[in-house]
């Protein structure tokens, strides 16, 4: 695969012989064949180069060093700040907490396929650290909600992480820049993205009949290619640490997952801020869950199963925990 000179393992060999014993298979709908019996998509031919797997693992599983001042991240001398919980009742201990810009921070990408929890993760990080996060997209609507780091330059050292969606979304992987990689069940991410791209301020609710149209089904293969490539680019083209976060586990146990991200970022925990974050988990960026339904064709489900299997095998071969056992259908 030309895009992946560091590919670890012949996934075509895995498809023929089955995965190594320590790999956990994903769950699949009962009416579909198991992933190990599925042919690999021709979209992603693979080859097995000679690489130092141990060296690559050591790089990916590293952590980030921060230059602390008195045990805390340094703050920029600026009046730009966000009173994140100012609407709390008077007397609330959380009202006093502010979010501000830092300085001299290393650049760290917050990488994900769209609608995988990126903005919500940014909110949780700002809430728990008091430091703004950034973005390559510079969306004024996000800025106006209080995320003042949205318009900051990604490499100016003022923001903790910077939102990006990979090379398919007007960005690059930036091989030497560390990353927090968010992965979500592709089926649910695709439904959320289609809803988001179809609704507007004039039509805030989507008609679920739109999922039965050619417009949606023409987008699914493109969505799937981008979903897989966002993950593979981050895992196989990085020469810097990568911390893997599964949206489903973040949703189930936000604080524990958040502690893991902070440890990776080299940010000391503030238990009082974490307690306030625990009581303000939703924030303005956590959207309601999708209605339980399955708009995908059998062929689309097969393709998603293949892609999830490839990503699942890759993360485990790189020493990460396996993907959650989610079904391809919602």
């Amino acid at each position: 695969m030309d895009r992946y000179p560091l590919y670890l393992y012949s996934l075509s060999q895995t498809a023929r012989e089955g995965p190594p014993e320590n790999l956990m298979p994903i769950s699949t709908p009962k009416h579909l064949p198991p992933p190990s019996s599925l042919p690999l998509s021709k979209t992603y031919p693979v080859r097995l180069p000679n690489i130092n797997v141990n060296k690559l693992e050591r790089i990916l599983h590293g952590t980030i060093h921060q230059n602390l001042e008195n045990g805390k991240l340094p703050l920029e001398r600026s009046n730009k700040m966000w009173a994140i919980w100012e609407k709390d009742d008077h007397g609330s201990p959380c009202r006093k907490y502010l979010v501000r810009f830092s300085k001299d921070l290393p650049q760290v990408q917050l990488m994900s396929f769209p609608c995988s929890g990126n903005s919500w993760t940014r909110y949780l990080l700002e809430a728990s650290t008091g430091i703004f996060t950034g973005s390559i997209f510079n969306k004024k609507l996000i800025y106006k909600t209080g995320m003042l780091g949205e318009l900051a330059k990604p490499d100016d050292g003022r923001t903790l992480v910077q939102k990006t969606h990979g090379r398919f979304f007007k960005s690059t992987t930036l091989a030497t820049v560390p990353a927090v990689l968010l992965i979500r069940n592709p089926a649910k991410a695709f439904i959320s993205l289609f809803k988001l791209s179809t609704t507007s301020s004039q039509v805030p609710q989507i008609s679920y009949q739109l999922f039965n149209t050619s417009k949606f089904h023409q987008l699914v293969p493109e969505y799937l290619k981008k979903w897989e490539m966002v993950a593979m680019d981050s895992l196989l083209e990085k020469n810097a640490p990568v911390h893997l976060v599964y949206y489903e586990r973040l949703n189930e146990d936000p604080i524990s997952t958040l502690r893991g991200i902070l440890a990776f970022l080299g940010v000391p925990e503030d238990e009082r801020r974490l307690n306030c974050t625990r009581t303000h988990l939703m924030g303005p960026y956590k959207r309601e869950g999708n209605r339980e339904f399955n708009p995908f064709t059998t062929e689309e489900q097969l393709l998603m199963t293949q892609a999830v299997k490839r990503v699942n095998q890759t993360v485990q071969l790189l020493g990460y925990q396996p993907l959650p056992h989610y079904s391809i259908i919602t």
Side-chain angles (χ1 to χ4, degrees):
M1 182 178 294
D2 292 338
R3 288 292 302 181
Y4 303 141
L6 297 180
Y7 213 89
L8 302 184
Y9 192 81
S10 172
L11 296 185
S12 58
Q13 179 182 355
T14 303
R16 292 194 302 271
E17 300 176 3
E21 292 182 0
N22 64 333
L23 294 185
M24 298 175 64
I26 62 165
S27 59
T28 45
K30 293 181 179 179
H31 62 283
L32 297 181
S36 59
S37 69
L38 298 175
L40 284 173
S41 168
K42 294 181 180 179
T43 307
Y44 303 112
V46 297
R47 56 186 171 85
L48 181 62
N50 295 320
I51 62 169
N52 187 328
V53 176
N54 291 331
K55 180 180 179 181
L56 181 59
E57 276 199 76
R58 286 196 299 271
I59 291 172
L60 292 177
H61 291 273
T63 55
I64 297 170
H65 173 73
Q66 302 283 0
N67 294 315
L68 304 179
E69 295 181 356
N70 299 319
K72 298 180 180 180
L73 292 178
L75 295 176
E76 178 187 76
R77 295 184 180 276
S78 168
N79 292 326
K80 292 184 178 181
M81 58 188 68
W82 176 27
I84 188 169
W85 296 308
E86 65 179 346
K87 294 182 180 180
D88 275 17
D89 294 336
H90 289 283
S92 166
C94 302
R95 279 178 58 93
K96 65 180 182 180
Y97 287 114
L98 305 173
V99 183
R100 301 177 63 181
F101 284 106
S102 186
K103 60 182 181 180
D104 302 324
L105 297 181
Q107 186 176 357
V108 182
Q109 292 184 314
L110 182 59
M111 178 77 72
S112 72
F113 180 85
C115 295
S116 296
N118 202 308
S119 294
W120 182 45
T121 302
R122 288 178 63 188
Y123 162 77
L124 293 175
L125 286 171
E126 294 192 3
S128 59
T129 66
I131 302 297
F132 284 119
T133 61
S135 168
I136 69 160
F137 299 108
N138 303 131
K139 292 188 176 181
K140 292 184 179 180
L141 181 61
I142 297 293
Y143 179 87
K144 290 179 180 179
T145 64
M147 280 191 169
L148 305 187
E150 178 71 18
L151 301 185
K153 294 182 179 180
D155 60 352
D156 68 4
R158 302 165 69 214
T159 55
L160 189 62
V161 297
Q162 300 81 41
K163 175 179 178 176
T164 179
H165 294 316
R167 62 187 172 96
F168 280 104
F169 301 92
K170 300 179 181 179
S171 180
T172 58
T173 304
L174 298 178
T176 60
V177 175
V180 176
L181 172 61
L182 285 165
I183 296 180
R184 185 186 185 189
N185 180 338
K188 294 203 172 186
F190 298 170
I191 291 173
S192 293
L193 180 56
F194 187 69
K195 287 171 61 178
L196 183 65
S197 62
T198 305
T199 57
S200 65
S201 58
Q202 288 76 31
V203 186
Q205 297 295 327
I206 185 175
S207 169
Y208 280 84
Q209 294 300 318
L210 288 175
F211 286 96
N212 296 323
T213 63
S214 60
K215 179 180 179 180
F216 173 71
H217 293 289
Q218 288 171 356
L219 285 172
V220 171
E222 185 67 16
Y223 282 173
L224 184 58
K225 182 171 79 169
K226 293 178 179 180
W227 179 88
E228 183 171 359
M229 294 295 270
V230 165
M232 293 297 202
D233 278 358
S234 298
L235 294 167
L236 301 177
E237 294 192 355
K238 284 289 186 184
N239 191 29
V242 175
H243 183 69
L244 193 53
V245 176
Y246 299 128
Y247 171 82
E248 292 76 17
R249 291 180 182 151
L250 177 65
N251 202 38
E252 292 170 1
D253 192 352
I255 299 301
S256 177
T257 306
L258 191 55
R259 290 182 191 274
I261 302 174
L262 296 180
F264 169 74
L265 294 174
V267 179
E269 295 180 9
D270 182 329
E271 290 298 333
R272 293 181 179 178
R273 288 196 76 114
L274 281 169
N275 285 335
C276 284
T277 304
R278 184 181 288 107
T279 58
H280 298 77
L281 286 174
M282 295 296 286
Y285 306 102
K286 184 75 164 64
R287 290 186 285 269
E288 294 182 3
N290 296 317
R291 195 180 80 180
E292 294 298 318
F293 78 117
N294 175 21
F296 301 102
T297 66
T298 299
E299 180 181 1
E300 289 166 351
Q301 293 176 59
L302 287 170
L303 291 173
M304 283 190 284
T305 300
Q306 291 176 308
V308 169
K309 183 191 176 196
R310 287 192 293 272
V311 173
N312 193 39
Q313 290 173 343
T314 303
V315 300
Q316 291 180 79
L317 287 163
L318 287 166
Y320 295 98
Q321 291 296 311
L323 270 65
H325 285 254
Y326 46 63
S327 173
I328 288 303
I329 59 174
T330 58

